[in-house]
Amino acid sequence: MISILTKKELREVLRSGQFRIAGLIVILLTAIAVFISTGYYRSVQQQHYQAQNNERNVWESQDDKNPHNAAHYGTYAFKPKYPLSLIDQGVDKFVGISIFLEAHKRNEAQYMAAADQTGLARFGELTPDFILLFIIPLLVILIGHDAFTKERERGTINLIKSQGVSMRLLAFGKWLGVFIPIAIITVFVFLLAGVLLSSLGDFGQFSWNALLVMMLIYLAYYAIFACISIIVSCLARNSGIALVGLLAFWIVSCLAVPKAATNIAETNYPYPTKQAFDEAVALDKSKGLDGHDPWSEAAKQLEEETLKAYNVSTLEELPFNYDGFRMQKGEEHEAEIYFKHYRQLKEVHSAQTSVYRKLTVLSPYLPVRFLSMSLARTDYNTHWHFSDAAEKYRIQLQKALNDDFAQNSQYGNWAYKADKSFWAEIPEFSYEPPSFNEVLGENQKNIAVLSGWLVLAFAGLFISTKKL
Amino acid sequence: MLSLNIKTELRSIFRNYWLASIAVLLFVLCFYAGWNGTNHVSQRKENIAQAVTAMKEADILMATQLDSISNGFEVNLQPWWYPTSPTAVGDQYPRVAAFHPTSLTFIATGQSDMFSHYIKPIMTGDSYTLGFTELTSPVSLLMGHFDLAFVVVYLLPLVIISFSYNILSTEKESGSLVLIASSPLNVSLWLLQKLSVRFVVISGLLSLCLGLVLIFNGNNFNAKSLQLFTTIILYSAFWFALAYLINLQGRSSSRNVIVMLGFWVVFVLAIPSLASQWANAVYPVPSRALLVNEMRSLKAEVVKEQDKLLDDYLRNHPELIGVNADSDESLRRTQQYFAAKDMVEQRIQPLLSTYNTNLEKQQTWVSRFAYLSPAILAQNSLNHLAETSSEHYDSYRQNVRDFAEQWRDFFLPMTFEGKIFRKEIIGQFPEFHFDKTAIRSPIPINSTVLLVLASGLLIVGFRTRGAHEMEKIMQ
């Protein structure tokens, strides 16, 4: 029976002009989005490779120099792009592309793409994730809104009832009629993306597993929208009201709730301003050891402790250059301060995330958005991960430079210069994003909420058909 | 006939529960969005106020320290941070160059969530490294804010659609169109009158809600609020005119609603996102990554020349220039420090100018896409009124850079002449004024385009469907 119902629904949907036109438009828009995004990402990726290589050349081409001056000269860490960012660019354009790694200071990632774009960019861009998250649910609504209302408007519902068809079976058949064409389009788009991504050599290591999970998440998302469309169609008086009601749900879910969540999160857990953050860091730094200031109390204390530890009476007697040693201790103190302040920022970020998470009960869009970005490695957590890795590298870099200064020169010899061959000996910055399993582990709550939505949507579908 | 039609329409609207629902909905949406906007602005005001208070307190402390030093007392500072040194004052007591919100800022978040609203340029800072992006969650930037602009640009058209999609089709479906057809009426005119009544009712309701929100936010009615009402009314007029054209096609209510929602998707979602993506693909933003590279390569070249002037160590730590040096040596090093800095600025400036010119060209080109959608036009106008547009932030950045130069130039002669900084000079500090005169208002042209679009749709509708086509509609 269910196969007969599904076949009938599918035939009806596929024959309808609405679906044909809308489906064609969606496929056309997807093709445009994939085409433009591929071109854009290839050029960005190429620029990043070029920038990273040039930066390394600039670093290695330094002349003989005092290692601390090289530390100030610094280097850049460029954030790589990952294959699935072609499908979901997440928050990429709202975070910087590179971090300047220098002595004494942890810098924020600079040059966010959105800051160089006009206000037009804030409407969103026609990228594959825009189509997957916003447009395809609209297509689901378009084909599902009149699933029952049209039967009522034509009077065919009574005919169906008179045949003794179970209304729940009918509803499930209608759900399949809506879901199957959408699932075919989705599977096709993801297969195409998979083939495209595995053929693009310069896109990093591509994982079919991540792509498959991403596809399943979107399929669950559309299954929820299909259920809600059928439920509303079942309850509405006519197709017009069903469509308006479903569109209202779409707007609340995809636009209004995420925006309201932002307002709630920012009002309750505001980030400090950049200036206030920098001043708080500077204040904490001033209370501790500054590698350049041997006259401060902290410096005097370190001096006493070092002399005692090495059982010598003057700094000249130490088996290393105390200036380099003090610089390193200063770096360690500053790194701790940055760690403390960035941990506070992360706490704000976690509190804000919890607001979004709480509101996922009002919007299936939110868990899907967060899951999709995480799998594409374009979410905020991946950015934090990159930023922390860059900071870890910065600390190691400073240590290598200060150690060279301390080990190879005498106390007071600021004229010491490391040989230019030393710069190439320092390992290059390399970054590995969180693994697929880590991503899934971090997103357990999002997966649970999405599953909850799916279960509730099906439960709603079966309960609402009682009314028929 | 006109007055009878208007009376009938008004009676039917006021008897219908739709109007009450829409009134409540608009009221709730406007107040919630207005409240969000007010919170956002309050945070901004508070941040600036805190920075200004801290600056004033620092000035008072500096004055006390200067008194103590002149009276021969010790102060709890490292010698190189003594406020008797003009360079130390220029670095340690910067001014707050603030971008204050205006009375209408709460209506549109625009670009305000992305950029800093106060900067404190210091004397030894490089103007090209001044950062303007704010510490904010990229998730917030991605999701956007629930502000009045969102209510107007995204939600208002939907309210209009729900209030106007079935005017003719309901009459047809209920059979009353036959009665109307029996009277000597031009159907286009009849529909126009009905829609005009609805347009006036919705505009009135919206103006009332907005007016109340403005009053609660302490706004006076002035030229700017008039421009706000004009923009919103013209944007509503466009959607009503579209509803007029679609109603005239004589199709069923469900067909009408699908077509109108289709237009909403096209104008509010598809065109802006397609335009944004397409514009960047055709005319990409010049690469920042490559700019960083070019700047680094250039700097690597300049470093060798700088080394001839002053050692790297003091270039990186100018505060230590005076340590272990007599006053002549200290002055010589200071001059060398600024000469070395100028050398980099002069070499990097052409590169930055070229980049900024290219970026400006790209943005000008992209901004033309605004004319493809009334939603973009309305958003741009609202951002301009709220002073949260890209143009406002571009101008603010330029003003701050100019001020940074002014700040440095204020202290440089004192530094070079080896002068002692005195308390009396505090009152002569340059102050930051944000000169917005260079920002061109897009409102006249945007409003004209909206008016032309709305009128165009009405004329097309009025001309193509006359009284003689009633039969066609009734089929």
Side-chain angles (χ1 to χ4, degrees), chain A residues 106 108 271-272 277 281 284 334-351 380 384 387-388 391, chain B residues 135:
Chain A
R106 175 174 181 170
E108 273 292 292
Y271 270 62
F277 180 79
V281 169
D284 270 3
E334 284 158 349
E336 270 173 37
I337 288 167
Y338 278 110
F339 181 75
K340 175 187 139 190
H341 285 271
Y342 273 84
R343 195 183 54 215
Q344 286 168 357
L345 273 192
K346 279 183 189 172
E347 281 165 12
V348 178
H349 159 58
S350 299
Y380 195 16
W384 272 116
S387 169
D388 288 345
E391 173 63 1
Chain B
L135 204 59

Side-chain angles (χ1 to χ4, degrees), chain A residues 268 287 321 468:
Chain A
N268 293 308
K287 290 176 190 163
N321 180 349
L468 283 166

Side-chain angles (χ1 to χ4, degrees), chain B residues 17-199:
Chain B
Y17 69 93
W18 261 122
L19 185 70
S21 320
I22 283 174
V24 172
L25 185 70
L26 279 177
F27 188 80
V28 171
L29 288 175
C30 287
F31 268 81
Y32 178 61
W35 180 70
N36 282 336
T38 310
N39 280 340
H40 197 66
V41 171
S42 302
Q43 260 176 17
R44 177 169 158 184
K45 279 182 182 166
E46 202 181 303
N47 290 337
I48 295 173
Q50 277 175 2
V52 172
T53 308
M55 180 188 81
K56 285 179 181 165
E57 284 170 1
D59 284 356
I60 294 168
L61 183 66
M62 171 174 48
T64 318
Q65 286 169 338
L66 285 167
D67 281 341
S68 301
I69 294 167
S70 67
N71 292 326
F73 295 114
E74 287 263 319
V75 289
N76 187 23
L77 283 174
Q78 295 293 13
W80 53 85
W81 292 133
Y82 272 29
T84 43
S85 152
T87 316
V89 176
D91 270 5
Q92 294 293 301
Y93 303 92
R95 302 298 91 188
V96 175
F99 182 178
H100 294 281
T102 66
S103 56
L104 284 184
T105 301
F106 76 99
I107 63 168
T109 308
Q111 305 284 73
S112 70
D113 50 355
M114 206 154 52
F115 297 113
S116 298
H117 293 107
Y118 71 93
I119 304 285
K120 293 158 80 173
I122 59 169
M123 189 191 175
T124 56
D126 299 317
S127 63
Y128 62 90
T129 55
L130 271 176
F132 290 91
T133 44
E134 191 45 276
L135 204 59
T136 186
S137 160
V139 178
S140 305
L141 297 176
L142 177 71
M143 304 288 184
H145 290 77
F146 198 111
D147 54 8
L148 271 172
F150 170 67
V151 172
V152 170
V153 175
Y154 285 78
L155 306 184
L156 178 63
L158 295 169
V159 170
I160 295 171
I161 291 170
S162 72
F163 201 49
S164 60
Y165 75 96
N166 58 355
I167 298 178
L168 196 66
S169 52
T170 308
E171 303 280 2
K172 193 174 154 185
E173 282 151 15
S174 64
S176 52
L177 195 63
V178 184
L179 284 175
I180 296 162
S182 64
S183 57
L185 264 177
N186 176 328
V187 74
S188 305
L189 191 62
W190 170 82
L191 187 65
L192 186 63
Q193 286 166 4
K194 278 176 91 74
L195 269 169
S196 302
V197 171
R198 287 177 186 234
F199 168 64

Side-chain angles (χ1 to χ4, degrees), chain B residues 7-17 194 198:
Chain B
K7 266 183 204 165
T8 316
E9 185 61 14
L10 276 174
R11 208 172 297 138
S12 86
I13 288 172
F14 284 106
R15 276 181 190 167
N16 198 317
Y17 69 93
K194 278 176 91 74
R198 287 177 186 234

Side-chain angles (χ1 to χ4, degrees), chain B residues 12 17 21 102 106 169 186 207 224 230 249 257 262 272 287 293 305 333 370 372 424 426 451 464 472:
Chain B
S12 86
Y17 69 93
S21 320
T102 66
F106 76 99
S169 52
N186 176 328
S207 304
K224 271 193 145 189
T230 310
Q249 304 307 311
V257 79
S287 166
N293 260 191
E305 292 170 42
R333 285 179 186 175
L372 290 177
E424 300 74 50
I426 299 175
L451 184 67
T464 51
K472 235 184 208 177

Side-chain angles (χ1 to χ4, degrees), chain A residues 149-163:
Chain A
T149 47
K150 73 181 172 202
E151 304 280 6
R152 231 179 268 132
E153 282 157 9
R154 291 178 197 155
T156 44
I157 191 81
N158 293 331
L159 277 175
I160 298 170
K161 277 182 182 173
S162 68
Q163 306 240 324

Side-chain angles (χ1 to χ4, degrees), chain B residues 275-310:
Chain B
S276 175
Q277 182 79 330
W278 194 260
N280 286 325
V282 177
Y283 202 152
V285 174
S287 166
R288 281 279 180 192
L290 297 183
L291 175 74
V292 168
N293 260 191
E294 287 177 49
M295 278 168 65
R296 292 285 284 171
S297 305
L298 203 63
K299 224 173 169 182
E301 283 172 27
V302 185
V303 159
K304 288 169 191 163
E305 292 170 42
Q306 283 183 307
D307 283 343
K308 291 174 195 161
L309 283 172
L310 188 68

Side-chain angles (χ1 to χ4, degrees), chain B residues 435-454:
Chain B
D435 179 9
K436 300 170 190 165
T437 46
I439 305 166
R440 280 174 54 197
S441 169
I443 295 174
I445 190 153
N446 287 0
S447 302
T448 311
V449 174
L450 283 174
L451 184 67
V452 168
L453 282 174

